[in-house]
Amino acid sequence: MKSPRFKYVRPNSLDQAIGLLSEFGDEARVLAGGQSLMPTLNMRLSHPEILIDINNLEDLKGISLQGDFVRIGALVRHVEVMESSVIREELPLIAEAIPHVAHVAVRNRGTFGGSIALADPAAEMPACALALNANFLLKGPRGTREIEAEKFFYGLYETAIEPDEILVAALLPRIKSGEIFAFTELARRQGDFAQAGVACKARISGQIIEQIRLVYFGSEVKPTLGNNMMTVLKGQRWSDSLVESNSSQLDTDLDPIQNLHGSSSLKLHLQKVLTKRVVHAVMEKAGSI
Ligand code: FAD
């Protein structure tokens, strides 16, 4: 099917883009890589009056170091993230997760900001951003604001971005000494959206899990912290059986949605298996196994 008719504009400044968003409100859509938006138009799931193509906006481009943070511009393509030495050195969690995002053709056009703004529940980048305590920079007619990842993802494809705001960049804390990261997901084929997945940040001392942060995706309506699981594992001496015997904590942490990728109980089971794997992986990376 072809998309419905729409007006198309390609502003050259962020202010101009925001002006257009304010003018057209709900009738406007921001166009970044188009990898998710264009299929929804072609399937006639969305009928915007106007597309505001942000691809000329220099303020939204580039990966750079800003003090303790890595700034990833919203328009940075997945392929740029994958090839960046800054990402490899400073954000090993993102470096590990990015090859799981879609396929080469989609990664060549799809953007980091598009993935965050869309907030697909099975997407890898929102989960990593939450695991890393990222902040997001939003700009609208009322000015610029920064919002933490924990307050950004509301629900199924719902974020804190107002209809007249544009996501400008993400600020992700650079790796600190002693931090270990691991990422795991299950998808039917490499590059497909995940059925279940976990992003993990930890501090390990010998066999002790000093700190651990677990973010689940694929199963929930939004990237979700495993708060109870994190609490019971913190300060404990690691073993596979420690993680397994506490896996019932996820019964309360998670509320998996049933969809084409599986039932709620299947996804809960998969997340328990992945938790064991991801904690095993951080222990291995810490040299503790
Ligand atoms: P667009 O499609 O241009 O926009 C998506 C939405 O975000 C739109 O509503 C748009 O208005 C809004 N938006 C975009 N940028 C901004 C901004 N800066 N400010 C405000 N709003 C904005 N993703 C994964 O994470 N994992 C996968 O495994 C995966 N597999 C895929 C497989 C296929 C076959 C396809 C087609 C896509 C897949 N994707 C996957 C999605 C892909 O990563 C997209 O690139 C991403 O979801 C959206 O990025 P985009 O730049 O294409 O955004």
Side-chain angles (χ1 to χ4, degrees), residues 219-232:
S219 57
E220 308 303 296
V221 292
K222 59 175 186 160
T224 300
L225 281 163
N227 285 315
N228 292 315
M229 193 61 165
M230 284 150 46
T231 305
V232 296

Side-chain angles (χ1 to χ4, degrees), residues 30 32-37 78 100 102 110-111 114 117-118 123-124 167 191-193:
V30 167
Q35 298 303 296
S36 299
L37 182 59
H78 299 314
H100 293 274
T111 62
L118 183 66
E124 290 82 1
L167 174 64
D192 280 2
F193 277 109

Side-chain angles (χ1 to χ4, degrees), residues 4-184:
R5 292 177 78 82
F6 51 80
K7 293 191 194 100
Y8 170 87
V9 278
R10 193 167 184 163
N12 287 316
S13 77
L14 187 50
D15 286 342
Q16 203 186 342
I18 289 163
L20 285 161
L21 270 182
S22 307
E23 186 184 338
F24 287 92
D26 269 352
E27 292 305 319
R29 292 287 180 284
V30 167
L31 174 67
Q35 298 303 296
S36 299
L37 182 59
M38 294 319 294
T40 61
L41 295 189
N42 290 342
M43 287 188 275
R44 309 254 168 153
L45 298 172
S46 175
H47 300 80
E49 188 183 333
I50 183 168
L51 293 193
I52 302 170
D53 183 341
I54 56 173
N55 281 272
N56 275 355
L57 306 185
E58 293 301 321
D59 298 355
L60 274 60
K61 296 184 182 172
I63 298 171
S64 57
L65 293 176
Q66 286 193 358
D68 291 337
F69 295 88
V70 178
R71 180 191 192 275
I72 305 183
L75 268 179
V76 168
R77 315 261 172 216
H78 299 314
V79 64
E80 291 177 70
V81 171
M82 207 156 160
E83 292 175 352
S84 161
S85 56
V86 173
I87 300 287
R88 260 194 312 279
E89 284 156 26
E90 303 290 347
L91 301 174
L93 181 64
I94 300 279
E96 193 175 341
I98 195 76
H100 293 274
V101 176
H103 314 278
V104 173
V106 174
R107 288 199 296 263
N108 284 344
R109 290 299 303 166
T111 62
F112 190 85
S115 183
I116 298 293
L118 183 66
D120 188 298
E124 290 82 1
M125 292 303 109
C128 290
L130 179 57
L132 292 170
N133 288 108
N135 280 358
F136 301 116
L137 212 60
L138 303 173
K139 190 163 181 193
R142 295 163 299 283
T144 303
R145 65 187 177 114
E146 210 172 301
I147 180 162
E148 301 152 36
E150 281 193 31
K151 295 185 180 150
F152 181 83
F153 300 106
Y154 279 174
L156 194 60
Y157 298 103
E158 274 181 316
T159 71
I161 305 178
E162 296 289 344
D164 55 3
E165 286 182 315
I166 289 182
L167 174 64
V168 176
L171 296 168
L172 300 116
R174 297 166 70 173
I175 184 169
K176 293 184 192 68
S177 167
E179 286 179 343
I180 312 271
F181 301 91
F183 179 90
T184 182

